[in-house]
Amino acid sequence: RNGHQVTLRSSTKEKAERLAGERRISSLPEVELPEAIEVTHDLCLACTGRPEGAGTGQGETDGVTPELLVLAASSVHIRPLARAMAPWVAQGQLVVNVAKGIEENSLKTLSQQIEEELPQARVAVLSGPSHAEEVGRGIPTTCVAGARSRQTAETVQNLFMCDSFRVYTNPDVLGIEIGGALKNVIALAAGIADGLGYGDNTKAALITRGMAEITRLATAMGARTETLYGLAGIGDLVVTCASMHSRNRR
């Protein structure tokens, strides 16, 4: 809707072919993929604008290298995906992670994993209370873009901002990622409470005390308290604990 040229890369050739034909994602039945979005299984094409194996010699046409690459895979797949992308990511290319989680064995955030696998890239995160079921239907949503460089965060902000999607910026990447990952633990508890038939009092207690625990841990790790009181902290926690779209709550 912002006029960008977009390529969507699917994990399997079969999924890519189905998406290209049906223009629907099973988990988002109310959202139709615009015809302008190109769907592919070719990771090289998604990263470089050129199909894998295409030559770049004199007289051959190069594809347009994407200004920004969005990693929207499940958190457990982020490191393997970044590693697979490494041969095709250009120096200084912007990589934005929208997944939420922490690596099980290393306890590293997702952006730390991406930086290890793609040291040549500029890495940013985009996070907040933003269920795709609503974003795809144009329901007003706010998120926060985080990066060490203000210019990088503002680039992400400008690319995604539109009438129904407002983006703030924040240099506290660690706080954004810790808030986005740990709220899922509290959401699981909220879902258990709902399943047991408990009420709003219980959920309010879980959210409030859960936020206190998340904030204490995050600030002990070096995050800023203000980040946890913002969209990536309390905002994401509330929507994940209360929404019918929240997988963790369900």
PDB file of all heavy atoms in Angstrom, residues 152-165:
ATOM      1  N   THR A 152      19.118   4.219  10.976  1.00  0.00           N
ATOM      2  CA  THR A 152      18.576   2.919  10.590  1.00  0.00           C
ATOM      3  C   THR A 152      17.148   2.759  11.090  1.00  0.00           C
ATOM      4  O   THR A 152      16.253   2.321  10.349  1.00  0.00           O
ATOM      5  CB  THR A 152      19.454   1.789  11.153  1.00  0.00           C
ATOM      6  OG1 THR A 152      20.769   1.893  10.599  1.00  0.00           O
ATOM      7  CG2 THR A 152      18.875   0.419  10.821  1.00  0.00           C
ATOM      8  N   ALA A 153      16.908   3.126  12.354  1.00  0.00           N
ATOM      9  CA  ALA A 153      15.558   3.023  12.916  1.00  0.00           C
ATOM     10  C   ALA A 153      14.582   3.910  12.157  1.00  0.00           C
ATOM     11  O   ALA A 153      13.433   3.524  11.888  1.00  0.00           O
ATOM     12  CB  ALA A 153      15.576   3.397  14.397  1.00  0.00           C
ATOM     13  N   GLU A 154      15.019   5.100  11.777  1.00  0.00           N
ATOM     14  CA  GLU A 154      14.140   6.021  11.059  1.00  0.00           C
ATOM     15  C   GLU A 154      13.877   5.540   9.635  1.00  0.00           C
ATOM     16  O   GLU A 154      12.805   5.795   9.084  1.00  0.00           O
ATOM     17  CB  GLU A 154      14.740   7.425  11.064  1.00  0.00           C
ATOM     18  CG  GLU A 154      14.681   8.076  12.444  1.00  0.00           C
ATOM     19  CD  GLU A 154      15.289   9.471  12.476  1.00  0.00           C
ATOM     20  OE1 GLU A 154      15.967   9.849  11.490  1.00  0.00           O
ATOM     21  OE2 GLU A 154      15.085  10.179  13.489  1.00  0.00           O
ATOM     22  N   THR A 155      14.832   4.838   9.041  1.00  0.00           N
ATOM     23  CA  THR A 155      14.602   4.248   7.718  1.00  0.00           C
ATOM     24  C   THR A 155      13.480   3.224   7.789  1.00  0.00           C
ATOM     25  O   THR A 155      12.569   3.211   6.951  1.00  0.00           O
ATOM     26  CB  THR A 155      15.888   3.575   7.190  1.00  0.00           C
ATOM     27  OG1 THR A 155      16.903   4.568   7.024  1.00  0.00           O
ATOM     28  CG2 THR A 155      15.631   2.896   5.846  1.00  0.00           C
ATOM     29  N   VAL A 156      13.538   2.356   8.813  1.00  0.00           N
ATOM     30  CA  VAL A 156      12.477   1.365   9.008  1.00  0.00           C
ATOM     31  C   VAL A 156      11.143   2.073   9.251  1.00  0.00           C
ATOM     32  O   VAL A 156      10.109   1.711   8.676  1.00  0.00           O
ATOM     33  CB  VAL A 156      12.817   0.428  10.184  1.00  0.00           C
ATOM     34  CG1 VAL A 156      11.673  -0.559  10.440  1.00  0.00           C
ATOM     35  CG2 VAL A 156      14.117  -0.328   9.904  1.00  0.00           C
ATOM     36  N   GLN A 157      11.159   3.087  10.086  1.00  0.00           N
ATOM     37  CA  GLN A 157       9.953   3.856  10.394  1.00  0.00           C
ATOM     38  C   GLN A 157       9.327   4.413   9.119  1.00  0.00           C
ATOM     39  O   GLN A 157       8.116   4.273   8.881  1.00  0.00           O
ATOM     40  CB  GLN A 157      10.304   5.001  11.345  1.00  0.00           C
ATOM     41  CG  GLN A 157       9.136   5.893  11.723  1.00  0.00           C
ATOM     42  CD  GLN A 157       9.603   7.089  12.551  1.00  0.00           C
ATOM     43  OE1 GLN A 157      10.567   7.752  12.206  1.00  0.00           O
ATOM     44  NE2 GLN A 157       8.917   7.341  13.660  1.00  0.00           N
ATOM     45  N   ASN A 158      10.131   5.022   8.279  1.00  0.00           N
ATOM     46  CA  ASN A 158       9.613   5.670   7.073  1.00  0.00           C
ATOM     47  C   ASN A 158       9.082   4.663   6.053  1.00  0.00           C
ATOM     48  O   ASN A 158       8.105   4.945   5.344  1.00  0.00           O
ATOM     49  CB  ASN A 158      10.701   6.533   6.427  1.00  0.00           C
ATOM     50  CG  ASN A 158      11.062   7.734   7.283  1.00  0.00           C
ATOM     51  OD1 ASN A 158      10.237   8.235   8.043  1.00  0.00           O
ATOM     52  ND2 ASN A 158      12.295   8.204   7.168  1.00  0.00           N
ATOM     53  N   LEU A 159       9.701   3.501   5.978  1.00  0.00           N
ATOM     54  CA  LEU A 159       9.266   2.498   5.012  1.00  0.00           C
ATOM     55  C   LEU A 159       7.923   1.870   5.397  1.00  0.00           C
ATOM     56  O   LEU A 159       7.117   1.528   4.530  1.00  0.00           O
ATOM     57  CB  LEU A 159      10.327   1.404   4.869  1.00  0.00           C
ATOM     58  CG  LEU A 159      11.576   1.778   4.073  1.00  0.00           C
ATOM     59  CD1 LEU A 159      12.656   0.707   4.217  1.00  0.00           C
ATOM     60  CD2 LEU A 159      11.237   1.977   2.600  1.00  0.00           C
ATOM     61  N   PHE A 160       7.673   1.722   6.704  1.00  0.00           N
ATOM     62  CA  PHE A 160       6.463   1.021   7.145  1.00  0.00           C
ATOM     63  C   PHE A 160       5.303   1.938   7.525  1.00  0.00           C
ATOM     64  O   PHE A 160       4.157   1.495   7.532  1.00  0.00           O
ATOM     65  CB  PHE A 160       6.796   0.114   8.350  1.00  0.00           C
ATOM     66  CG  PHE A 160       7.463  -1.169   7.971  1.00  0.00           C
ATOM     67  CD1 PHE A 160       8.843  -1.282   7.967  1.00  0.00           C
ATOM     68  CD2 PHE A 160       6.714  -2.276   7.603  1.00  0.00           C
ATOM     69  CE1 PHE A 160       9.467  -2.465   7.614  1.00  0.00           C
ATOM     70  CE2 PHE A 160       7.332  -3.469   7.248  1.00  0.00           C
ATOM     71  CZ  PHE A 160       8.708  -3.565   7.250  1.00  0.00           C
ATOM     72  N   MET A 161       5.578   3.175   7.848  1.00  0.00           N
ATOM     73  CA  MET A 161       4.533   4.076   8.332  1.00  0.00           C
ATOM     74  C   MET A 161       3.460   4.300   7.272  1.00  0.00           C
ATOM     75  O   MET A 161       3.757   4.522   6.099  1.00  0.00           O
ATOM     76  CB  MET A 161       5.151   5.420   8.725  1.00  0.00           C
ATOM     77  CG  MET A 161       4.160   6.359   9.397  1.00  0.00           C
ATOM     78  SD  MET A 161       4.172   6.192  11.185  1.00  0.00           S
ATOM     79  CE  MET A 161       5.554   7.243  11.599  1.00  0.00           C
ATOM     80  N   CYS A 162       2.204   4.230   7.690  1.00  0.00           N
ATOM     81  CA  CYS A 162       1.088   4.553   6.801  1.00  0.00           C
ATOM     82  C   CYS A 162      -0.094   4.993   7.667  1.00  0.00           C
ATOM     83  O   CYS A 162       0.028   5.102   8.887  1.00  0.00           O
ATOM     84  CB  CYS A 162       0.717   3.369   5.915  1.00  0.00           C
ATOM     85  SG  CYS A 162       0.050   1.949   6.802  1.00  0.00           S
ATOM     86  N   ASP A 163      -1.240   5.233   7.043  1.00  0.00           N
ATOM     87  CA  ASP A 163      -2.394   5.765   7.772  1.00  0.00           C
ATOM     88  C   ASP A 163      -2.826   4.855   8.922  1.00  0.00           C
ATOM     89  O   ASP A 163      -3.304   5.345   9.956  1.00  0.00           O
ATOM     90  CB  ASP A 163      -3.582   5.955   6.818  1.00  0.00           C
ATOM     91  CG  ASP A 163      -3.361   7.111   5.852  1.00  0.00           C
ATOM     92  OD1 ASP A 163      -2.444   7.916   6.103  1.00  0.00           O
ATOM     93  OD2 ASP A 163      -4.098   7.195   4.852  1.00  0.00           O
ATOM     94  N   SER A 164      -2.680   3.538   8.751  1.00  0.00           N
ATOM     95  CA  SER A 164      -3.179   2.607   9.771  1.00  0.00           C
ATOM     96  C   SER A 164      -2.061   1.940  10.567  1.00  0.00           C
ATOM     97  O   SER A 164      -2.343   1.126  11.440  1.00  0.00           O
ATOM     98  CB  SER A 164      -4.035   1.519   9.109  1.00  0.00           C
ATOM     99  OG  SER A 164      -3.250   0.760   8.201  1.00  0.00           O
ATOM    100  N   PHE A 165      -0.800   2.265  10.259  1.00  0.00           N
ATOM    101  CA  PHE A 165       0.324   1.607  10.928  1.00  0.00           C
ATOM    102  C   PHE A 165       1.349   2.669  11.323  1.00  0.00           C
ATOM    103  O   PHE A 165       2.082   3.174  10.480  1.00  0.00           O
ATOM    104  CB  PHE A 165       0.959   0.570   9.987  1.00  0.00           C
ATOM    105  CG  PHE A 165       1.884  -0.402  10.667  1.00  0.00           C
ATOM    106  CD1 PHE A 165       1.399  -1.485  11.373  1.00  0.00           C
ATOM    107  CD2 PHE A 165       3.259  -0.237  10.586  1.00  0.00           C
ATOM    108  CE1 PHE A 165       2.256  -2.391  11.994  1.00  0.00           C
ATOM    109  CE2 PHE A 165       4.125  -1.126  11.207  1.00  0.00           C
ATOM    110  CZ  PHE A 165       3.620  -2.204  11.903  1.00  0.00           C
TER     111      PHE A 165
END
